[in-house]
Amino acid sequence: MPLPEVGTRLAVPHPPEADQLAVTTFSAAGWEAYAREGLESMTRFFPGQIVAYFEEDQPERPWEGRVEWRPLLGCLGLSDVLDWAWANPVLQGIVPNGYSYQFDLNKFCRKVFAQADAAARFQGWLWWLDADVELRKPIPLGLAPSLLKDDATAAMGRIGFHIESGIVLWNTAHPDSEGFFKRYQELFLTGEILGLPGWHDCWAYQKALKDTGARNKNLTPQARGMTPVVGQSPFSDYLIHHKGMRKYGSDAKNRDTRGNRLTTDSPVPGTAP
């Protein structure tokens, strides 16, 4: 078979709509606080397979048969990055005036390696769902394919700020996918992540896109700054994202799928991503 000419793009495979996988991960503390409810909602409303990456002290693993449980430390390369982070407190978000999520490499590198491990083992429509995402309605099989079309990945962008990475889509059969994930992990494995404005998955995702030229879609092109963006996204009818401290409070149960309160009270301001 002749090779494609230099500079041409390979044809994009479009997997069957039924080939869908939702992936998430969480700590044992997160499991008790919010992830149990988030994962339970996935078992009810996600139309495909579900994989949960658990940490060593995970107390229980329910929904066997519906959820595939994988050890997070089984993700190739992650242990090396975590050893580096534990040896350097500055990589744990510790800053002179306290804590900043922008520099908590120790926390946010975990989802990068879970995503990459899942992508290496699955060909189809891959959903990343943070464990504090709660599905409220069935996800249509055609949603991810209709959003991605010929793109390798899609995320919620914000002008002047980093993406919101609580929900990210990939077509892992796409010819751009393998190179993207390789570069995504390299940023952490080589320490290059320290040259970015923040040391977490959002900045790494954007850098990997820039370096690889992977075809991608911004699902919230009008969003700006630190504003919460799920309500402006195509996901707003199906889920809510209990970001930041919202995941620990009862207020989340009084909100609709767009994050609006169902009572007549004034809305609680959105937390920083």
Side-chain angles (χ1 to χ4, degrees), residues 150-165:
D150 285 344
D151 291 310
T153 183
M156 297 175 287
R158 293 178 286 195
I159 298 170
F161 203 50
H162 60 67
I163 65 162
E164 150 66 86
S165 65

Side-chain angles (χ1 to χ4, degrees), residues 2-145:
L3 296 174
E5 294 181 12
V6 175
T8 62
R9 288 187 179 271
L10 298 174
V12 176
H14 294 90
E17 285 188 353
D19 293 350
Q20 305 219 16
L21 175 67
V23 180
T24 194
T25 190
F26 40 81
S27 65
W31 170 253
E32 296 297 339
Y34 55 84
R36 181 198 299 271
E37 293 185 12
L39 190 59
E40 191 274 337
S41 75
M42 295 179 208
T43 68
R44 294 174 61 202
F45 296 127
F46 187 74
Q49 305 170 60
I50 302 169
V51 170
Y53 287 86
F54 65 91
E55 300 195 8
E56 288 181 322
D57 49 358
Q58 172 66 21
E60 56 181 325
R61 303 173 202 170
W63 305 297
E64 292 284 355
R66 183 70 177 98
V67 177
E68 179 183 348
W69 294 84
R70 296 178 184 170
L72 182 63
L73 290 180
C75 297
L76 187 65
L78 177 58
S79 293
D80 292 336
V81 176
L82 291 176
D83 287 346
W84 174 45
W86 275 107
N88 296 275
V90 69
L91 302 181
Q92 301 167 34
I94 299 172
V95 295
N97 60 343
Y99 171 83
S100 172
Y101 80 93
Q102 290 277 18
F103 306 106
D104 197 345
L105 180 151
N106 176 66
K107 177 179 180 179
F108 292 104
C109 71
R110 300 166 193 236
K111 63 194 293 187
V112 170
F113 286 84
Q115 291 164 356
D117 183 79
R121 300 162 66 175
F122 174 77
Q123 292 280 290
W125 309 101
L126 175 65
W127 293 68
W128 171 263
L129 297 171
D130 274 0
D132 54 2
V133 168
E134 180 186 358
L135 303 190
R136 291 290 184 92
K137 295 179 181 179
I139 300 292
L141 276 173
L143 184 58

Side-chain angles (χ1 to χ4, degrees), residues 191-204:
E192 293 173 80
I193 188 74
L194 302 187
L196 302 184
W199 303 341
H200 53 77
D201 62 294
C202 300
W203 293 112

